[in-house]
Amino acid sequence: MLSRRTLLAASVALPFAGPAGAAAAPGLGTLAARRGRYFGTSLASTEIVADDPSFALMEAQCSVWVPAWEMKWGALCGRLGDAPDYRGADKVVAAAIERGKRLRGHTLVWHEHLPEGAEALQTAADWDRHVVPHVAATAGHFGEAVFEWDVVNEAIEPSQGDDGMRRTPFYAMRGPDYVADAFRLAAEAAPHARLCLNDDHLYYAEGWQEARRVAMLRLIDRLLGAGVPLHVLGLQCHLDTRWRFEERRFARFVDEVTGMGLDLTVTELDVTEAPGAGAAGLAARRRRAADEVGKVLDVLTDRPAFSGVVTWGLSDDRSWLRKGRKLVDNQGLPYDDAGRPTPMRDRLATLLSSGRSHHDRTR
Ligand code: G3I
């Protein structure tokens, strides 16, 4: 059931701005900034190509960029103990600074994309010898260029233990306290940065997502109760049209999180279409993807604690969803394969221009 605002938005959707780079229409980052928010996307250093239309789109539409993989531990250090190679990430940082973009850092502690050998780490001594210097060096290297860090990514997994935590090498080294330890290390190395706990699958009515919301609320409560410097919950928002969305249930979760004093941000927005969606026409598929985004952002843009949206790629031709997934032509991003705006782009423009401003305390 779409909300009143989404139905209204769909009916007054901005006319397509035409091919990428069309003049005049304010970018999504500009629209978001008018309400104290940001809009951005993930990218790789290899996408920073002068005169490339896709890169021009990222420049025109985004106020924030996030390296899709080049700040990860395994991208910096091929093998455990290697000296970090910052060249790829530094290229993204330099391009962002040159163009006045702010940077989200992604991600300091994550059980994937690890240096070779890191999966075997398991003691407190391993933590001190490897994780502490990694977090300090990485957050320290990028310094004030990064305004917000995904300090810990994907810590929740209720199926793996009563405490709702995913069993990872970091958990093996320090138990559930590894999350608090990671945030304290990040706060020491990047005292200026907003520190974000990032995770996915927290939006839909499915029972397993409800279990994840419960586990996430317990973790946040434990961290804040221990005085851990946690500022933002990152909702990856890899949305999926197969699952059932109940606005009240999601809004209740959002209000519990913001009620604990955290900001909320969308960190990896895209939409996976249901298997078989390919049988429908492209226009209908793209409208369906825009509606999926509208359901979630309708709730978030009405909350002053909602700070921004980052999509995981800007145009479908660059989407990770196209690689080895069910739908090789997945329609899940604000721009199509040719860099033309999709209904999702119009819906984002309407939603980012509506609702309550970030940290608007007027009601
Ligand atoms: O292209 C380079 C190649 O030049 C290099 O030699 C090689 C060395 O590792 O890496 C190649 O890059 C690959 C990169 O994607 C670009 O395609 C990396 O191998 C590969 O690990 C990397 O995968 C990324 C993955 O995270 C792991 O870091 C995906 O792009 C990225 O979309 C995905 O993003 C994750 C988020 O971080 C967390 N949430 C889920 C999301 C999707 O899985």
Side-chain angles (χ1 to χ4, degrees), residues 16-22 53-54 57 282 286 314-317 331 333-346:
F16 268 33
S54 295
L57 203 54
L282 278 181
R286 288 169 177 162
L314 199 54
S315 55
D316 283 316
D317 57 313
Q331 305 297 317
L333 285 171
Y335 287 86
D336 69 13
D337 294 58
R340 290 174 302 234
T342 65
M344 187 189 297
R345 194 275 177 197
D346 295 332

mmCIF file of all heavy atoms in Angstrom, residues 16-22 53-54 57 282 286 314-317 331 333-346:
data_model
loop_
_atom_site.group_PDB
_atom_site.id
_atom_site.type_symbol
_atom_site.label_atom_id
_atom_site.label_comp_id
_atom_site.label_asym_id
_atom_site.label_seq_id
_atom_site.Cartn_x
_atom_site.Cartn_y
_atom_site.Cartn_z
ATOM 1 N N PHE A 16 11.173 13.954 -17.172
ATOM 2 C CA PHE A 16 12.532 13.454 -17.344
ATOM 3 C C PHE A 16 13.450 14.599 -17.737
ATOM 4 O O PHE A 16 13.089 15.446 -18.565
ATOM 5 C CB PHE A 16 12.533 12.392 -18.466
ATOM 6 C CG PHE A 16 12.330 11.010 -17.916
ATOM 7 C CD1 PHE A 16 11.534 10.789 -16.801
ATOM 8 C CD2 PHE A 16 12.934 9.925 -18.504
ATOM 9 C CE1 PHE A 16 11.349 9.522 -16.293
ATOM 10 C CE2 PHE A 16 12.756 8.639 -18.008
ATOM 11 C CZ PHE A 16 11.959 8.427 -16.897
ATOM 12 N N ALA A 17 14.609 14.648 -17.150
ATOM 13 C CA ALA A 17 15.486 15.786 -17.466
ATOM 14 C C ALA A 17 16.198 15.536 -18.796
ATOM 15 O O ALA A 17 17.106 16.233 -19.168
ATOM 16 C CB ALA A 17 16.524 15.929 -16.346
ATOM 17 N N GLY A 18 15.794 14.475 -19.477
ATOM 18 C CA GLY A 18 16.458 14.228 -20.755
ATOM 19 C C GLY A 18 17.773 13.508 -20.529
ATOM 20 O O GLY A 18 18.027 13.037 -19.433
ATOM 21 N N PRO A 19 18.618 13.461 -21.521
ATOM 22 C CA PRO A 19 19.868 12.689 -21.401
ATOM 23 C C PRO A 19 20.734 13.274 -20.297
ATOM 24 O O PRO A 19 20.572 14.418 -19.891
ATOM 25 C CB PRO A 19 20.530 12.862 -22.769
ATOM 26 C CG PRO A 19 19.899 14.067 -23.364
ATOM 27 C CD PRO A 19 18.517 14.148 -22.792
ATOM 28 N N ALA A 20 21.654 12.437 -19.809
ATOM 29 C CA ALA A 20 22.526 12.882 -18.714
ATOM 30 C C ALA A 20 23.183 14.186 -19.117
ATOM 31 O O ALA A 20 23.519 14.400 -20.267
ATOM 32 C CB ALA A 20 23.613 11.830 -18.491
ATOM 33 N N GLY A 21 23.323 15.026 -18.122
ATOM 34 C CA GLY A 21 24.067 16.262 -18.380
ATOM 35 C C GLY A 21 23.162 17.385 -18.867
ATOM 36 O O GLY A 21 23.603 18.477 -19.117
ATOM 37 N N ALA A 22 21.845 17.109 -18.953
ATOM 38 C CA ALA A 22 20.960 18.189 -19.412
ATOM 39 C C ALA A 22 21.112 19.361 -18.446
ATOM 40 O O ALA A 22 21.301 19.166 -17.254
ATOM 41 C CB ALA A 22 19.515 17.699 -19.399
ATOM 42 N N PRO A 53 30.678 10.212 -19.515
ATOM 43 C CA PRO A 53 29.313 10.645 -19.125
ATOM 44 C C PRO A 53 28.883 10.095 -17.767
ATOM 45 O O PRO A 53 28.237 10.797 -16.987
ATOM 46 C CB PRO A 53 28.439 10.092 -20.249
ATOM 47 C CG PRO A 53 29.349 9.896 -21.410
ATOM 48 C CD PRO A 53 30.693 9.567 -20.844
ATOM 49 N N SER A 54 29.283 8.853 -17.451
ATOM 50 C CA SER A 54 28.881 8.295 -16.147
ATOM 51 C C SER A 54 29.529 9.078 -15.012
ATOM 52 O O SER A 54 28.895 9.356 -13.994
ATOM 53 C CB SER A 54 29.290 6.819 -16.045
ATOM 54 O OG SER A 54 28.586 6.057 -16.992
ATOM 55 N N LEU A 57 27.888 12.378 -14.537
ATOM 56 C CA LEU A 57 26.625 12.245 -13.802
ATOM 57 C C LEU A 57 26.893 12.230 -12.295
ATOM 58 O O LEU A 57 26.213 12.888 -11.513
ATOM 59 C CB LEU A 57 25.959 10.930 -14.231
ATOM 60 C CG LEU A 57 24.471 10.752 -14.067
ATOM 61 C CD1 LEU A 57 23.684 11.860 -14.711
ATOM 62 C CD2 LEU A 57 24.062 9.380 -14.595
ATOM 63 N N LEU A 282 10.009 -2.500 -19.587
ATOM 64 C CA LEU A 282 10.992 -1.732 -18.819
ATOM 65 C C LEU A 282 10.341 -0.605 -18.025
ATOM 66 O O LEU A 282 10.659 -0.365 -16.869
ATOM 67 C CB LEU A 282 12.063 -1.144 -19.756
ATOM 68 C CG LEU A 282 13.193 -2.082 -20.171
ATOM 69 C CD1 LEU A 282 14.171 -1.344 -21.081
ATOM 70 C CD2 LEU A 282 13.928 -2.626 -18.947
ATOM 71 N N ARG A 286 10.647 -0.152 -14.035
ATOM 72 C CA ARG A 286 11.318 1.009 -13.433
ATOM 73 C C ARG A 286 10.373 1.753 -12.480
ATOM 74 O O ARG A 286 10.811 2.262 -11.440
ATOM 75 C CB ARG A 286 11.826 1.948 -14.525
ATOM 76 C CG ARG A 286 13.027 1.359 -15.261
ATOM 77 C CD ARG A 286 13.388 2.127 -16.500
ATOM 78 N NE ARG A 286 14.594 1.551 -17.122
ATOM 79 C CZ ARG A 286 14.951 1.776 -18.376
ATOM 80 N NH1 ARG A 286 14.192 2.556 -19.148
ATOM 81 N NH2 ARG A 286 16.038 1.229 -18.879
ATOM 82 N N LEU A 314 25.194 4.578 -9.552
ATOM 83 C CA LEU A 314 24.198 5.598 -9.924
ATOM 84 C C LEU A 314 23.389 5.147 -11.138
ATOM 85 O O LEU A 314 22.190 5.428 -11.234
ATOM 86 C CB LEU A 314 24.915 6.919 -10.228
ATOM 87 C CG LEU A 314 24.096 8.199 -10.194
ATOM 88 C CD1 LEU A 314 23.352 8.351 -8.881
ATOM 89 C CD2 LEU A 314 25.000 9.428 -10.415
ATOM 90 N N SER A 315 24.031 4.413 -12.030
ATOM 91 C CA SER A 315 23.320 3.944 -13.236
ATOM 92 C C SER A 315 23.409 2.427 -13.327
ATOM 93 O O SER A 315 24.401 1.806 -12.933
ATOM 94 C CB SER A 315 23.922 4.594 -14.490
ATOM 95 O OG SER A 315 25.316 4.353 -14.547
ATOM 96 N N ASP A 316 22.331 1.860 -13.858
ATOM 97 C CA ASP A 316 22.193 0.391 -13.838
ATOM 98 C C ASP A 316 23.345 -0.360 -14.491
ATOM 99 O O ASP A 316 23.674 -1.483 -14.107
ATOM 100 C CB ASP A 316 20.862 -0.001 -14.504
ATOM 101 C CG ASP A 316 19.671 0.248 -13.578
ATOM 102 O OD1 ASP A 316 19.781 -0.101 -12.372
ATOM 103 O OD2 ASP A 316 18.670 0.805 -14.037
ATOM 104 N N ASP A 317 23.958 0.241 -15.497
ATOM 105 C CA ASP A 317 25.046 -0.481 -16.182
ATOM 106 C C ASP A 317 26.220 -0.729 -15.245
ATOM 107 O O ASP A 317 27.015 -1.642 -15.463
ATOM 108 C CB ASP A 317 25.523 0.296 -17.420
ATOM 109 C CG ASP A 317 25.985 1.692 -17.043
ATOM 110 O OD1 ASP A 317 25.261 2.381 -16.283
ATOM 111 O OD2 ASP A 317 27.083 2.092 -17.468
ATOM 112 N N GLN A 331 16.782 -3.529 -13.090
ATOM 113 C CA GLN A 331 16.472 -2.093 -13.122
ATOM 114 C C GLN A 331 16.371 -1.618 -11.679
ATOM 115 O O GLN A 331 15.333 -1.743 -11.047
ATOM 116 C CB GLN A 331 15.136 -1.861 -13.863
ATOM 117 C CG GLN A 331 15.103 -2.449 -15.270
ATOM 118 C CD GLN A 331 16.110 -1.823 -16.215
ATOM 119 O OE1 GLN A 331 16.283 -0.602 -16.241
ATOM 120 N NE2 GLN A 331 16.796 -2.645 -16.993
ATOM 121 N N LEU A 333 18.382 1.349 -10.148
ATOM 122 C CA LEU A 333 19.104 2.574 -9.755
ATOM 123 C C LEU A 333 18.457 3.809 -10.399
ATOM 124 O O LEU A 333 17.607 3.691 -11.289
ATOM 125 C CB LEU A 333 20.575 2.452 -10.148
ATOM 126 C CG LEU A 333 21.411 1.527 -9.249
ATOM 127 C CD1 LEU A 333 22.791 1.298 -9.846
ATOM 128 C CD2 LEU A 333 21.537 2.080 -7.827
ATOM 129 N N PRO A 334 18.851 5.030 -9.989
ATOM 130 C CA PRO A 334 18.173 6.249 -10.473
ATOM 131 C C PRO A 334 18.457 6.609 -11.929
ATOM 132 O O PRO A 334 17.783 7.447 -12.499
ATOM 133 C CB PRO A 334 18.722 7.354 -9.548
ATOM 134 C CG PRO A 334 19.425 6.695 -8.458
ATOM 135 C CD PRO A 334 19.790 5.328 -8.913
ATOM 136 N N TYR A 335 19.427 5.947 -12.531
ATOM 137 C CA TYR A 335 19.728 6.223 -13.944
ATOM 138 C C TYR A 335 19.869 4.894 -14.682
ATOM 139 O O TYR A 335 20.343 3.900 -14.130
ATOM 140 C CB TYR A 335 21.016 7.061 -14.066
ATOM 141 C CG TYR A 335 20.808 8.501 -13.625
ATOM 142 C CD1 TYR A 335 20.926 8.838 -12.288
ATOM 143 C CD2 TYR A 335 20.442 9.496 -14.532
ATOM 144 C CE1 TYR A 335 20.687 10.139 -11.858
ATOM 145 C CE2 TYR A 335 20.207 10.800 -14.108
ATOM 146 C CZ TYR A 335 20.323 11.113 -12.775
ATOM 147 O OH TYR A 335 20.075 12.401 -12.358
ATOM 148 N N ASP A 336 19.433 4.895 -15.938
ATOM 149 C CA ASP A 336 19.448 3.634 -16.697
ATOM 150 C C ASP A 336 20.825 3.408 -17.326
ATOM 151 O O ASP A 336 21.760 4.168 -17.103
ATOM 152 C CB ASP A 336 18.321 3.638 -17.746
ATOM 153 C CG ASP A 336 18.580 4.646 -18.885
ATOM 154 O OD1 ASP A 336 19.720 5.154 -19.007
ATOM 155 O OD2 ASP A 336 17.625 4.931 -19.628
ATOM 156 N N ASP A 337 20.895 2.366 -18.136
ATOM 157 C CA ASP A 337 22.177 1.974 -18.735
ATOM 158 C C ASP A 337 22.800 3.082 -19.579
ATOM 159 O O ASP A 337 24.004 3.124 -19.754
ATOM 160 C CB ASP A 337 21.959 0.745 -19.622
ATOM 161 C CG ASP A 337 21.561 -0.465 -18.806
ATOM 162 O OD1 ASP A 337 20.530 -0.386 -18.099
ATOM 163 O OD2 ASP A 337 22.277 -1.475 -18.833
ATOM 164 N N ALA A 338 21.948 3.973 -20.103
ATOM 165 C CA ALA A 338 22.476 5.046 -20.972
ATOM 166 C C ALA A 338 22.635 6.342 -20.184
ATOM 167 O O ALA A 338 22.838 7.405 -20.760
ATOM 168 C CB ALA A 338 21.525 5.247 -22.152
ATOM 169 N N GLY A 339 22.479 6.256 -18.861
ATOM 170 C CA GLY A 339 22.634 7.458 -18.027
ATOM 171 C C GLY A 339 21.437 8.380 -18.061
ATOM 172 O O GLY A 339 21.534 9.549 -17.705
ATOM 173 N N ARG A 340 20.289 7.836 -18.494
ATOM 174 C CA ARG A 340 19.074 8.674 -18.485
ATOM 175 C C ARG A 340 18.338 8.496 -17.162
ATOM 176 O O ARG A 340 18.313 7.405 -16.598
ATOM 177 C CB ARG A 340 18.152 8.266 -19.645
ATOM 178 C CG ARG A 340 18.680 8.642 -21.023
ATOM 179 C CD ARG A 340 17.765 8.059 -22.094
ATOM 180 N NE ARG A 340 17.684 6.610 -21.935
ATOM 181 C CZ ARG A 340 17.946 5.739 -22.916
ATOM 182 N NH1 ARG A 340 18.320 6.177 -24.112
ATOM 183 N NH2 ARG A 340 17.852 4.451 -22.723
ATOM 184 N N PRO A 341 17.698 9.558 -16.649
ATOM 185 C CA PRO A 341 16.983 9.442 -15.371
ATOM 186 C C PRO A 341 15.814 8.462 -15.483
ATOM 187 O O PRO A 341 15.103 8.440 -16.478
ATOM 188 C CB PRO A 341 16.489 10.858 -15.091
ATOM 189 C CG PRO A 341 16.627 11.611 -16.353
ATOM 190 C CD PRO A 341 17.633 10.912 -17.206
ATOM 191 N N THR A 342 15.641 7.651 -14.440
ATOM 192 C CA THR A 342 14.513 6.726 -14.384
ATOM 193 C C THR A 342 13.462 7.303 -13.435
ATOM 194 O O THR A 342 13.728 8.300 -12.748
ATOM 195 C CB THR A 342 14.985 5.359 -13.819
ATOM 196 O OG1 THR A 342 15.400 5.575 -12.454
ATOM 197 C CG2 THR A 342 16.149 4.802 -14.626
ATOM 198 N N PRO A 343 12.292 6.693 -13.345
ATOM 199 C CA PRO A 343 11.300 7.170 -12.365
ATOM 200 C C PRO A 343 11.858 7.216 -10.951
ATOM 201 O O PRO A 343 11.450 8.046 -10.132
ATOM 202 C CB PRO A 343 10.169 6.141 -12.501
ATOM 203 C CG PRO A 343 10.261 5.687 -13.927
ATOM 204 C CD PRO A 343 11.728 5.677 -14.240
ATOM 205 N N MET A 344 12.839 6.353 -10.649
ATOM 206 C CA MET A 344 13.432 6.395 -9.314
ATOM 207 C C MET A 344 14.143 7.729 -9.097
ATOM 208 O O MET A 344 14.095 8.289 -7.998
ATOM 209 C CB MET A 344 14.418 5.242 -9.106
ATOM 210 C CG MET A 344 14.938 5.125 -7.686
ATOM 211 S SD MET A 344 16.287 3.949 -7.517
ATOM 212 C CE MET A 344 15.488 2.424 -7.963
ATOM 213 N N ARG A 345 14.760 8.255 -10.129
ATOM 214 C CA ARG A 345 15.449 9.542 -9.973
ATOM 215 C C ARG A 345 14.434 10.625 -9.661
ATOM 216 O O ARG A 345 14.639 11.428 -8.744
ATOM 217 C CB ARG A 345 16.197 9.890 -11.271
ATOM 218 C CG ARG A 345 17.206 11.018 -11.131
ATOM 219 C CD ARG A 345 16.604 12.386 -11.271
ATOM 220 N NE ARG A 345 17.614 13.432 -11.058
ATOM 221 C CZ ARG A 345 17.329 14.711 -10.805
ATOM 222 N NH1 ARG A 345 16.061 15.091 -10.729
ATOM 223 N NH2 ARG A 345 18.280 15.604 -10.598
ATOM 224 N N ASP A 346 13.289 10.595 -10.369
ATOM 225 C CA ASP A 346 12.258 11.600 -10.110
ATOM 226 C C ASP A 346 11.678 11.442 -8.712
ATOM 227 O O ASP A 346 11.424 12.424 -8.013
ATOM 228 C CB ASP A 346 11.148 11.493 -11.153
ATOM 229 C CG ASP A 346 11.671 11.835 -12.540
ATOM 230 O OD1 ASP A 346 12.642 12.627 -12.620
ATOM 231 O OD2 ASP A 346 11.158 11.299 -13.523
#
